[in-house]
Amino acid sequence: MVSAAPMDQALKASSRELLWVALYTSVQVLILFLLTFMWWSQRDRLLGLYLVRHAVFAAYGTSYLGLPTLVLEDVLTQSFMHHLFVVLVVCVVPLSLRFDVAFLSLYRPHPFWIRLLKVIIWASATVMLILLTVSTQLALQINLGLVIAAVPVTLMTLLSTLPIQQKGVFPSRRVMLAYYAVVVSSLPLGLVSLLGKGGFQAWGLYGLIVHGLITGLLMSTMLLVRSQRLAKHHQQVRWELRKSQQDMALEQRRRAEQSQFLHMLMHELKTPLSIVSMAIGTRSNREENLEHAGRAVRDMKAIIERCVQADQIGELTLHQRHESVDLPALMVQSVRDISNLASRVQLSAPAEVPGLQTDRQLLKIVLTNLLSNAQRYSDEHTPIGVHVTPEDRALQPGLCVRVVNTPGLAGWPDERMIFNKYYRASGARRQTGSGLGLYLSQQLTQSLGGTLAYAPSEHHVEFVLWIPVVHA
């Protein structure tokens, strides 16, 4: 007996059906897009397995709801759509179980149950051969039997799992068990109807579709949380790796610098120590030997003082004390503090020079280093010119000090290396020295807000020191 429904009721039923199809399709497409984006950004194997599984299940659900037929009815035949739906039904089982094996393996289940699940997967794969060669009905019956067999095996696999090792990245065992409790407990409801014991077969298929939609949302949410945690974990690992590489490079530089320092110290102290040893062991020319020994001791003291200053450069620049400084007067004092230098220095400065607001001690260290450098490595029979002049730079008033000398036996330094730590020209190694004076002077000058440059002319070595008049 066939009954006809009123037109308005039929329209309402059709509208509800279309609304349900549109809602289901939108949710599945949204999940598919989200999973694709996560997989593309991370290329994670677990995400890839679930992406394939979800794509096939979404195609299965939309095929059952008739969306492909509605959209492509002029292109695809009913027979083709029917066979496509059957293929999707058969493919859902092995793909779902393959993902479950990969996901549950994170929780260290008993190997026996994992192997049994893999057997069911391979058995599900052979169903496709039966579908293509023997009988569609037989293939679907075997496929349904495998689904029913997979339920208790999955349950035993769950019970044999252990707490997750990578805490904070993967969902906890409790969350995983809650998810599979929903899956395992709700799946038999649809299967009972499909076996003919639920009253209506379509109800079972709808139940499986709703079941897949709900579990898909839950698993997608867990994978999204895992993806975010994994990205944060990878970022933390990359940061720690980068920090370890930086620490290793810093340690290598420190060791190389320490080795270079010890090599320099041993090399430069060897000659003064030999002079002292010879002076002590020789009885003749006592006064001359003592004079040589005293000069050697002063050389060693100067080297040690440079090393200490270079080691404390951070502390020296950190605790600056600004005070009014008369640069020409400070220059005269620095010349007097260096023995045998006053007779060679030719100092020129304007009658009125603006006062500096800077650290007197640091500036004196810079001036002393420049004067000592000129005295040690210039021709001892030539004068050393020191010229103080006002000079503005970048609208900032300042004072410029030029130290000029004729090259001596040490020759011309390498202007690319002259401010490097421990650098000494090959000709300069005839005399004791640390190779720290110019390096230290440039660092201190920068901390005072000024500049120190090497500007040689055709016949003279020249260093140009510029210090701002007001240093903020």
Side-chain angles (χ1 to χ4, degrees), residues 416-431:
R416 297 171 302 175
M417 303 285 292
I418 195 167
F419 292 109
N420 286 1
K421 209 171 186 180
Y422 305 121
Y423 166 74
R424 301 193 71 203
S426 57
R429 294 172 185 171
R430 297 186 180 93
Q431 303 181 50

Side-chain angles (χ1 to χ4, degrees), residues 117-314:
L117 280 177
K118 290 181 179 180
V119 170
I120 297 176
I121 292 173
W122 283 107
S124 299
T126 59
V127 173
M128 184 63 67
L129 296 176
I130 298 174
L131 175 66
L132 298 175
T133 58
V134 182
S135 167
T136 300
Q137 186 67 26
L138 178 62
L140 290 176
Q141 290 176 351
I142 297 175
N143 190 67
L144 182 60
L146 292 175
V147 173
I148 296 173
V151 173
V153 177
T154 303
L155 182 61
M156 295 304 299
T157 306
L158 292 172
L159 295 177
S160 67
T161 56
L162 299 173
I164 192 69
Q165 288 181 318
Q166 291 181 275
K167 295 182 179 180
V169 176
F170 297 98
S172 65
R173 182 174 181 269
R174 184 176 300 177
V175 173
M176 181 271 297
L177 290 176
Y179 165 78
Y180 277 100
V182 175
V183 175
V184 175
S185 61
S186 58
L187 185 61
L189 297 178
L191 296 178
V192 168
S193 178
L194 292 177
L195 290 172
K197 300 180 181 180
F200 184 48
Q201 188 176 8
W203 179 88
L205 288 174
Y206 271 113
L208 289 177
I209 292 175
V210 174
H211 166 269
L213 180 61
I214 294 174
T215 55
L217 286 171
L218 292 176
M219 178 54 71
S220 298
T221 302
M222 284 196 296
L223 290 177
L224 176 61
V225 173
R226 171 185 173 271
S227 178
Q228 293 176 339
R229 290 177 177 176
L230 202 58
K232 187 180 295 185
H233 175 71
H234 288 163
Q235 185 178 6
Q236 178 69 18
V237 170
R238 286 194 297 270
W239 181 84
E240 291 177 355
L241 177 60
R242 197 160 50 242
K243 185 177 182 301
S244 298
Q245 292 173 341
Q246 291 174 350
D247 291 343
M248 184 180 299
L250 184 63
E251 179 64 19
Q252 289 175 346
R253 286 197 301 269
R254 188 189 67 81
R255 290 187 177 183
E257 185 173 322
Q258 186 180 48
S259 175
Q260 191 176 8
F261 168 75
L262 292 175
H263 177 76
M264 178 276 299
L265 200 60
M266 291 175 61
H267 181 269
E268 298 302 335
L269 292 182
K270 183 167 58 176
T271 300
L273 286 173
S274 300
I275 295 174
V276 173
S277 177
M278 183 177 64
I280 294 175
T282 305
R283 297 182 180 180
S284 60
N285 299 325
R286 190 70 175 172
E287 293 183 1
E288 184 179 354
N289 289 335
L290 288 177
E291 183 180 351
H292 288 315
R295 189 180 302 114
V297 170
R298 286 194 298 270
D299 289 340
M300 288 189 291
K301 181 180 178 182
I303 291 174
I304 294 173
E305 184 178 0
R306 291 287 188 278
C307 295
V308 172
Q309 289 174 345
D311 184 62
Q312 296 178 344
I313 189 170

